[in-house]
């Protein structure tokens, strides 16, 4: 089964600019103000870069 990227909002303090947004090679992450980032699942290629990058482990690739 294909893995899906998920956001665990409880892990995201939502008080800063998400550094993972810039790491995504296909621009699948967006952020409004300092909210938890949103995933565009049509764009996401499930590479896992953002999941590795987020220091709070708020972005995870799950089956
Ligand atoms: S898994 Fe890769 S393609 Fe998907 S949002 Fe994260 S960095 Fe972007």
């Amino acid at each position: 089964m294909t893995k899906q990227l998920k956001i665990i909002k409880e892990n995201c303090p939502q008080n800063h600019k998400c550094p993972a947004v810039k790491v995504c090679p296909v621009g699948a992450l967006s952020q409004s103000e300092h909210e938890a980032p949103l995933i565009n699942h049509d764009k996401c290629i499930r590479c896992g870069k953002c999941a590795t990058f987020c220091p709070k482990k708020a972005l995870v690739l799950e089956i």
Side-chain angles (χ1 to χ4, degrees):
M1 217 158 122
T2 318
K3 288 186 175 185
Q4 270 263 10
L5 184 68
K6 287 189 183 159
I7 291 192
I8 302 168
K9 284 192 180 174
E10 302 85 73
N11 289 0
C12 177
Q14 302 184 53
N15 61 4
H16 61 281
K17 204 164 154 55
C18 174
V21 170
K22 282 200 187 138
V23 166
C24 177
V26 295
L29 292 175
S30 60
Q31 187 186 28
S32 170
E33 304 279 322
H34 285 166
E35 288 172 15
L38 294 175
I39 306 159
N40 182 334
H41 289 286
D42 293 332
K43 282 189 178 176
C44 178
I45 54 172
R46 296 170 276 281
C47 67
K49 282 188 182 159
C50 57
T52 310
F53 197 76
C54 175
K56 301 285 185 185
K57 304 267 182 285
L59 288 157
V60 289
L61 271 177
E62 280 185 355
I63 294 174

